[in-house]
Amino acid sequence: MSLASIYAEHAEVLKPFFEIPDYSPLFEKACNHPTTSLGERLEAATQWISATRGGSSSLSAYQQYLKLADQHIQVRHSITSRHQLLQTIPNNIALDGVATAIECGELKTAVELLEQGRALLWAQMSRYRTPLDDLPRRSHPELAAEFTRLSQLLEDSATSGSLQASSQRSVEEEVHRYREIAEKWSAVVDKIRNIDGFHTFLRPPQYSYLQLSSRNGPVIIVNASSKRCDAIIIREKGDPVLVPLPDTRWSDINENARRFFVEIRSGIVDRPKILGVLRKLWDDVVHPVVSKLQELNVTHGSRIWWCTTSILSILPIHAAGPHRGKKPNLCDIYISSYTPTLSTLAGLNQVDLLATGGQKRQYPHPRLLVVAQPDTPGQVHLPCVEKELPIIQQQVPHVDVLSNKMGTCGAVLTGLKTHNWVHFTCHGSQDFKQPFASGFCLHDRPLTLLDIIEARVPNAEFAILSACHSAANDIMKPDETIHLAAALQFTGFRSVIGTMYAMADIDGPIVAEEVYKHMFRRTEMGGSVDYRDAAEALSIATRKLRERGVPVERWINFVHFGA
């Protein structure tokens, strides 16, 4: 027990009798003590948060906690062991930190805190793939090469053998080796930060960078904390805009989300309950945001992006609405996409901005790889896969197919490297206990989420995941967004269409036809194909499903991630 903890215990006993001075600075010192273990420093940060009385001290406590949590998790050598350790990190810390920053009027800090406290595993893995294009290689060639080499070793350690049991000795050896490499990697990072213009290298992103996420339309953060609930609208220019949700309580959101989760997983859907969830979501969260967007002159039919938090991440915000008569729902007003983090979307927009100088980019005709598995061994036959394939071939000029026995894990991984678009139409599996074992069911074995993470796909652009649970979030750790769609984004795919839960096989061909018809609409006149049309294409496809009388629980299943 630290001196700060002992002081705090005595202070609580004496508080009724004496005026106790602020002892939170003791916890701040404990957090930064050089010889204290990360676990103890993290506990000190937790106590610091509890001891603070609001204001800047509270914000500092939350920032320190999130910094230590990231370091604490990264001590583990494999991504699966990091995920296990992540279960010990409370879900509410980052969200409460955001709420505290909002109460202090620090909206930019609120945005930065949220980014720092979510999708930790993806953020850590992304550091190993950070490009050094701007580093002057002529003057620092050895440093750039060493960073790339060590990053590759750390990524290999994080992914290789993560799902296989090992002897105690081999585990200990691997951990020791990982720590040696990690120390060298940290030393190289420090050296890079000492180079002019690189002082922020691999530090938590600042608002000026995160604002790039809104280059093509507003991004809406919805923060659901027990302290307060708010939305923050980020625009390409100007300060973030706060949309307070004073009538919305975290407990109500939690109950609504769990009701939806249970209902959609039951196999026997009570449609009025689903509509009730969508109506409450509209009243509590979405309608106030839409009103503010209209006040900000965001025109009808514009694209918007949602970055949701906590249990909200399992709810179909894109489908919220009154769902009564001719009253418009959100999908009738704006075209919704999702992003797991602001950094993900900001990175995509930055790449396009640097490549085009701000001009509209022209893309060549894509090469599409279709992975079609109507008869996967051990799985139920999917009759509509056989209908979906010719529809795709009719709409897309350049299609290569891996089907049935040809659709092996190795063949698909090889195919991903030579195609910039991919379409999976097969069974999907989700494993909440071992999320990195979730995957697409192929002929020889599943293509797991871990397989996808390890892949490097240099020309990736667009993916359709016409498979069950391909964008399904974990209800226990929703802010980590560990699902197949997110894995493909990490690998390099800029735009991904997936499903939130089990899909109806019959819907696949309809969605495929409408999506590709819209995306290739300009080719007959010699025009180009742009993967950024995918969100609008999906909007058209789901509208077609609605016009055909498809039940609400089926058409709301399809979601778009990315640019």
Side-chain angles (χ1 to χ4, degrees):
M1 180 180 289
S2 67
L3 179 61
S5 300
I6 295 171
Y7 189 97
E9 283 191 4
H10 283 77
E12 289 302 314
V13 173
L14 297 173
K15 190 181 292 184
F17 309 104
F18 301 97
E19 183 177 347
I20 305 298
D22 182 15
Y23 52 85
S24 60
L26 295 175
F27 289 116
E28 181 177 4
K29 291 181 179 179
C31 287
N32 294 299
H33 199 281
T35 61
T36 305
S37 70
L38 275 171
E40 291 173 321
R41 291 162 66 189
L42 197 61
E43 178 59 29
T46 304
Q47 293 175 309
W48 183 13
I49 289 171
S50 300
T52 52
R53 301 171 183 176
S56 59
S57 179
S58 291
L59 286 180
S60 297
Y62 281 111
Q63 288 168 330
Q64 184 68 5
Y65 181 95
L66 295 175
K67 176 183 176 181
L68 290 171
D70 180 65
Q71 294 174 1
H72 183 54
I73 293 167
Q74 199 162 358
V75 166
R76 297 289 181 94
H77 78 285
S78 74
I79 195 170
T80 51
S81 61
R82 290 179 196 175
H83 180 260
Q84 291 167 1
L85 187 59
L86 190 65
Q87 308 308 309
T88 65
I89 304 297
N91 290 340
N92 65 303
I93 294 290
L95 310 182
D96 290 349
V98 172
T100 301
I102 291 172
E103 288 174 351
C104 295
E106 300 285 347
L107 289 187
K108 292 182 180 179
T109 301
V111 174
E112 291 167 354
L113 273 174
L114 181 65
E115 192 70 10
Q116 191 178 347
R118 59 184 281 113
L120 295 183
L121 298 183
W122 293 124
Q124 290 175 358
M125 293 297 292
S126 295
R127 290 171 199 155
Y128 304 146
R129 297 192 180 185
T130 302
L132 286 174
D133 298 337
D134 294 333
L135 186 68
R137 290 177 178 268
R138 290 183 180 179
S139 55
H140 304 281
E142 295 180 358
L143 195 60
E146 184 68 353
F147 174 80
T148 302
R149 185 184 73 84
L150 293 173
S151 294
Q152 183 64 63
L153 290 174
L154 288 177
E155 181 177 332
D156 291 344
S157 177
T159 57
S160 63
S162 294
L163 297 179
Q164 284 77 39
S166 303
S167 68
Q168 188 60 35
R169 181 181 176 185
S170 64
V171 170
E172 291 174 355
E173 289 173 348
E174 181 63 25
V175 169
H176 179 71
R177 176 175 174 270
Y178 166 78
R179 289 178 178 172
E180 284 186 339
I181 298 170
E183 287 176 3
K184 293 179 181 178
W185 183 85
S186 296
V188 170
V189 170
D190 287 340
K191 290 179 181 178
I192 292 174
R193 287 172 179 167
N194 287 328
I195 299 172
D196 287 343
F198 282 81
H199 64 282
T200 62
F201 183 70
L202 294 187
R203 296 190 191 278
Q206 297 178 330
Y207 182 79
S208 56
Y209 174 75
L210 298 175
Q211 194 172 20
L212 283 172
S213 62
S214 61
R215 180 172 174 257
N216 296 311
V219 179
I220 304 104
I221 294 170
V222 186
N223 190 63
S225 164
S226 58
K227 289 177 175 286
R228 57 182 291 163
C229 295
D230 303 90
I232 301 175
I233 300 174
I234 301 173
R235 299 172 295 167
E236 185 177 12
K237 296 179 180 179
D239 294 333
V241 177
L242 179 66
V243 184
L245 304 172
D247 299 325
T248 303
R249 296 184 300 173
W250 182 87
S251 56
D252 291 340
I253 292 174
N254 185 54
E255 181 183 348
N256 204 35
R258 292 185 182 278
R259 186 186 302 121
F260 176 78
F261 185 83
V262 170
E263 191 62 36
I264 215 70
R265 298 259 170 175
S266 67
I268 305 174
V269 175
D270 186 335
R271 200 155 297 134
K273 286 186 178 179
I274 296 295
L275 290 172
V277 167
L278 298 177
R279 287 167 182 154
K280 185 163 181 58
L281 190 57
W282 171 260
D283 293 336
D284 290 353
V285 177
V286 177
H287 183 252
V289 171
V290 168
S291 297
K292 178 58 71 172
L293 289 171
Q294 292 172 335
E295 184 181 316
L296 295 170
N297 296 318
V298 179
T299 57
H300 187 281
S302 296
R303 290 192 63 185
I304 60 174
W305 279 262
W306 294 93
C307 184
T308 54
T309 65
S310 183
I311 202 74
L312 268 170
S313 299
I314 71 165
L315 285 170
I317 282 189
H318 61 282
H323 290 275
R324 290 188 179 94
K326 295 184 178 181
K327 292 183 178 180
N329 303 311
L330 175 61
C331 57
D332 302 313
I333 304 170
Y334 296 120
I335 298 171
S336 291
S337 295
Y338 293 90
T339 184
T341 65
L342 299 181
S343 295
T344 302
L345 194 54
L348 294 174
N349 290 340
Q350 186 180 50
V351 168
D352 270 354
L353 186 63
L354 293 173
T356 63
Q359 302 300 313
K360 185 173 177 60
R361 190 172 181 179
Q362 296 296 316
Y363 296 92
H365 284 191
R367 291 193 62 195
L368 174 64
L369 174 68
V370 178
V371 182
Q373 290 292 318
D375 293 299
T376 307
Q379 300 289 336
V380 176
H381 175 62
L382 295 175
C384 288
V385 169
E386 295 166 339
K387 298 178 181 178
E388 193 168 340
L389 183 55
I391 287 173
I392 296 169
Q393 291 171 318
Q394 184 178 0
Q395 299 292 336
V396 182
H398 307 291
V399 181
D400 294 317
V401 181
L402 291 174
S403 184
N404 293 321
K405 292 182 180 180
M406 300 297 292
T408 62
C409 189
V412 171
L413 288 171
T414 300
L416 288 176
K417 295 178 181 180
T418 56
H419 296 77
N420 48 359
W421 286 25
V422 65
H423 185 119
F424 286 90
T425 173
C426 57
H427 282 288
S429 65
Q430 184 181 40
D431 189 331
F432 284 129
K433 292 183 179 179
Q434 287 197 81
F436 297 100
S438 302
F440 300 107
C441 300
L442 303 184
H443 182 76
D444 56 342
R445 69 172 181 86
L447 176 70
T448 67
L449 197 147
L450 191 62
D451 291 325
I452 295 169
I453 292 174
E454 290 182 289
R456 289 180 179 265
V457 188
N459 302 310
E461 285 185 355
F462 174 55
I464 292 187
L465 315 181
S466 186
C468 296
H469 313 293
S470 56
N473 234 339
D474 181 359
I475 195 170
M476 300 306 295
K477 281 291 178 184
D479 283 319
E480 284 304 301
T481 59
I482 302 174
H483 50 62
L484 294 165
L488 281 162
Q489 277 198 289
F490 170 78
T491 302
F493 284 89
R494 302 177 180 191
S495 178
V496 182
I497 291 174
T499 57
M500 299 182 72
Y501 42 87
M503 66 171 285
D505 183 38
I506 196 173
D507 294 335
I510 301 171
V511 171
E513 181 175 14
E514 296 301 323
V515 165
Y516 290 123
K517 184 189 298 182
H518 181 75
M519 296 186 76
F520 284 85
R521 67 193 182 283
R522 291 186 289 262
T523 55
E524 291 184 2
M525 303 296 293
S528 63
V529 179
D530 191 338
Y531 69 85
R532 291 173 298 185
D533 288 339
E536 184 178 12
L538 179 62
S539 176
I540 292 170
T542 53
R543 190 182 309 134
K544 179 68 70 174
L545 291 174
R546 293 164 65 191
E547 291 171 355
R548 294 190 178 193
V550 169
V552 63
E553 69 273 12
R554 280 167 49 188
W555 65 261
I556 68 174
N557 191 11
F558 296 93
V559 288
H560 177 263
F561 283 82

